[in-house]
Amino acid sequence: MTSEPAPPAQSGTAPDLAALARVVARQRAEIDLLREQTATSAVLERAKGALMAMTGCSPDTAHEELVERARTGHRTLVEECLLTLGALMPPLAHACDATDSTGVAAGTGSGPVRPEGSAPWDTPAAGTDERSEVLARLGKALVRVDSPQELAGSLLAHLGPDVGADAVVLYALRPDGGLELVGHAGLDETFAGQWRHVPPLSGVAALDALRAREPRWLEDFATDRDRYLLIGNPPERWLSRAWLPVPTGGTAEVALGVLRRPAGPFTARDRELLRAAARLCAGRLRAFDRAQGRTDEGVADTVQAVFDALPGAAVLLTPLRGASGEVEDYRIDAATPRAVDVLGRTGRELLGLRILECYPSVAGEPLWQGYLTALAGKEPYQGEPFAYHEVVDGVRETATYSVQATRLGDGLLVSWVRHDPTARQEQRLADVQRLGNLGWASWNLATREATWSPQVYALLGRDPARGPVRLRQLPDLALPEDAPALSHAVTELVRAGEPFDVPFRIRSGSGIRHLRAVAEAVADPDGTPVEVHGFIQDLTAQRSAELALVESERAILLQRGILQAERALATRLQHALLPLPKAPVRLAGLRVEVAYLPAWSEIHVGGDWFSAIELPDEDALFVIGDVAGHGIDAVATMAQLRFTAKGMVSTGSSLTGALARLNTLLLHSRDSNTTATMVLARYAPKEHRLKWAQAGHLPPLLVRRGEARYLDRPDGILLGASMSPKFDAAECRLEPGDRLLLFTDGLVERPGEHLDTGLARLAQAALAHDDKGAGSLDTLLGSMLEDERRDDVCVLDIRVPPAET
């Protein structure tokens, strides 16, 4: 089970996976044996001595008694020894330490003299009844703890008063060389969280003790602070400390820390007591390792009974965690008969083995991380298909597998499936036919046998129970108008081997279906076609889209023609109804210039318009307006307003009265939704007075003596917006040299720009071109307008002649 092909088993290449698995299994068995022997030796000797003192039996009899008690009580040997010490508490005699009563100089890290060849933590303790009672009491308490956290609490409760400890911590060595806090007592959770991880730095006393496998006694705070990185916030919280390695076999991976508030050295008695406590912790930590890897035997047996009857390959795994809590391996607790490892072991032969023994190449692979993800309960792991090399009957083959892992209780249910290449190819072919909406067909011309895929029956609407039709009968399924072309193609294929690609139609329950037949012939050595291979494809959706596109293009062309005709008519109407003078005209003593610029559009014609006439009483009437919308309707409304406004004012209506009647006209017109803006202005030359009114239109711009300002607008809303509008009039006196601009909004509006910006731009342009002479309107428009306009522009440029000198 690996996500990469296994390396070939030949010389000069990577080692064979089976050989690697055998090495891993042998080394793990040796490590487990050494750990078990080391963890039990210290406590076992003390328990044997206790039984010998109480019963007078021999060492061998004491050992057998402890083993029998452990077996009948379903306990480990270490747990039984601790229970024995806690219940009996015998006085144990030990050889005195080879050092004097002062022990070892503070801060040196040197231990008492020990026999040559012994482990660093196997130094005999100076025996006293008091220490024996403390250790026996501690051993009895440790039997009831179930985690490193509870272990730290029990140490502080039962050992703290004897050695003056204020806090106890347990640090486990991480794979990266740093430390992880696995148990603590006497610390608040905030502080513990801050010191949960210690990086692999130099000057860490706990790491120093683990590397040297010697205790570190920190008894001079000033000296220790310069030498080590001291935990604490502040470090002065504990003025003396001790760090002892906890033996867990041939190495030490856990450090026991004892923190004391008072300063001063640890006595020889305290040191021996702490060394003995570290040895007791070693056995209990080893028991944790076994307990967390142990599953209920009854559950495992039940699962295995079910697995024995299951097909396929599957295993039930129990995670094995290290002291830091990280998963180091998995134990196989149940396996189906089809499960096999790299050594060829199957089914029940795998029970109790480790994953890294059976599949050593899993380590470091994505599959290993997938196991951890599934174990965390986030989601089941579904691995991608991967290639795996295996030997079947002495022949090396490459197989494709997929692995799935799902959490089951505290373990993992892992299954893997071998993919059949033929089945996968058939499935892929079926997927291609389905997605491509086609099916394959073949005809044997010699035997007259035909074979169709299920998709061909579905495309032709034929019941599979009736079987396929012969090749020459295929045109009979097409519509009569398409049958001749298909029949001719089939005849040429059978006669001369000419391949064909012919579209045809059939009638189905859902209507007409557009199909495509593609075929080629396979000839014998003489060149005679003997077999035909081809496919039928459904093109109904494509043909429907093509027909819809054609219809859409026709509709667009028709609409474009109608719009172009409408624009041409509107343009002619506009030119007929709104003639532009070729030169400036004189009205009531004023010079008037007109400009009309249509929007740059091939279709739309706007409703901007103007009027400038002389009234019967020699006054001048100036009108400018803008009808909403474009096209013929806008031009018609413009003509109606233009002629009606001139007629009303010419016959004596006031400016505001004319606007009110025009509003009523729009409200009762054929299209009651039409609106328009307008400015009506009447100039009396004798008084040089201009009276004007407006309906929702922009105010005129007055340029006078180097200044430009917009006239204050009287009240008035756009025409066609209200049944009872209010219109007011305003007056102003025009002086010699004045210039008045009436314009529509197309002159000042630009997309995305505020209207005030456009009005300010027009005022500046008018001032800049005010003294340019008769052609200044063209220059003004050139500076104001962009290359492409979205609206028509209409301007009345009215000038008062300068005073004669």
Side-chain angles (χ1 to χ4, degrees), residues 6-9 14-26 341-345 356-361 388-389 391 396:
D16 185 81
L17 289 181
L20 181 58
R22 286 191 289 270
V23 172
V24 172
R26 185 177 63 255
D341 72 349
V342 295
L343 294 179
R345 294 172 291 197
L356 294 182
E357 297 175 18
C358 301
Y359 312 99
S361 60
Y388 187 77
H389 296 301
V391 178
R396 185 178 180 84

Side-chain angles (χ1 to χ4, degrees), residues 37 52 128 205 228 254 382 392 461 475 523 534 604 668 681 727 735:
Q37 291 174 349
M52 290 167 62
T128 65
Y228 294 112
V254 177
Q382 181 67 54
V392 179
H604 297 303
H668 294 84
F727 297 103
E735 300 178 0

Side-chain angles (χ1 to χ4, degrees), residues 450-467:
T451 305
W452 288 359
S453 71
Q455 192 73 9
V456 173
Y457 289 100
L459 295 177
L460 294 175
R462 185 175 178 84
D463 186 358
R466 300 176 60 188

Side-chain angles (χ1 to χ4, degrees), residues 47-60:
K48 286 167 58 179
L51 284 180
M52 290 167 62
M54 293 295 297
T55 64
C57 64
S58 65
D60 292 340

Side-chain angles (χ1 to χ4, degrees), residues 138-402:
L138 177 61
K140 183 178 181 179
L142 293 185
V143 175
R144 294 188 293 271
V145 301
D146 295 320
S147 66
Q149 179 67 21
E150 293 182 9
L151 177 61
S154 184
L155 287 172
L156 182 61
H158 295 86
L159 193 63
D162 292 279
V163 298
D166 296 295
V168 171
V169 293
L170 290 171
Y171 272 107
L173 188 65
R174 296 204 314 251
D176 62 358
L179 296 175
E180 181 178 357
L181 184 65
V182 295
H184 63 87
L187 304 181
D188 58 77
E189 290 301 325
T190 301
F191 179 85
Q194 294 173 346
W195 290 90
R196 180 75 58 188
H197 300 286
V198 177
L201 303 173
S202 59
V204 177
L207 278 174
D208 194 10
L210 290 177
R211 291 170 183 148
R213 289 188 287 176
E214 291 279 0
R216 289 294 180 259
W217 311 100
L218 281 63
E219 301 159 322
D220 185 344
F221 183 79
T223 303
D224 297 333
R225 188 170 191 175
D226 294 336
R227 182 179 181 184
Y228 294 112
L229 173 64
L230 302 180
I231 68 172
N233 190 16
E236 292 83 356
R237 182 177 179 181
W238 298 291
L239 298 179
S240 59
R241 309 152 189 254
W243 293 99
L244 298 94
V246 178
T248 55
T251 61
E253 297 180 351
V254 177
L256 168 62
V258 177
L259 312 178
R260 304 191 308 183
R261 288 192 178 91
F266 289 85
T267 65
R269 168 191 172 278
D270 293 343
R271 294 188 180 193
E272 290 306 320
L273 198 57
L274 290 176
R275 285 193 181 97
R279 289 193 291 270
L280 289 178
C281 290
R284 197 59 193 146
L285 288 173
R286 178 59 183 156
F288 294 156
D289 184 52
R290 289 196 305 273
Q292 71 179 0
R294 189 186 307 129
T295 59
D296 188 282
E297 294 181 359
V299 174
D301 292 341
T302 302
V303 174
Q304 182 58 50
V306 175
F307 273 30
D308 287 339
L310 289 180
V315 292
L316 178 63
L317 304 181
T318 296
L320 304 178
R321 303 179 184 272
S324 63
E326 295 181 358
V327 176
E328 296 180 345
D329 206 340
Y330 298 87
R331 188 182 65 246
I332 301 176
D333 285 341
T336 61
R338 297 289 298 275
V340 59
D341 72 349
V342 295
L343 294 179
R345 294 172 291 197
T346 61
R348 288 179 174 267
E349 296 177 342
L350 299 174
L351 301 185
L353 300 180
R354 311 294 177 90
I355 279 292
L356 294 182
E357 297 175 18
C358 301
Y359 312 99
S361 60
V362 169
E365 292 291 323
L367 184 59
W368 184 269
Q369 185 58 44
Y371 283 0
L372 296 178
T373 301
L375 188 62
K378 297 179 180 178
E379 58 184 7
Y381 169 72
Q382 181 67 54
E384 295 292 334
F386 60 87
Y388 187 77
H389 296 301
E390 56 188 1
V391 178
V392 179
D393 297 330
V395 179
R396 185 178 180 84
E397 295 182 356
T398 300
T400 303
Y401 288 89
S402 290

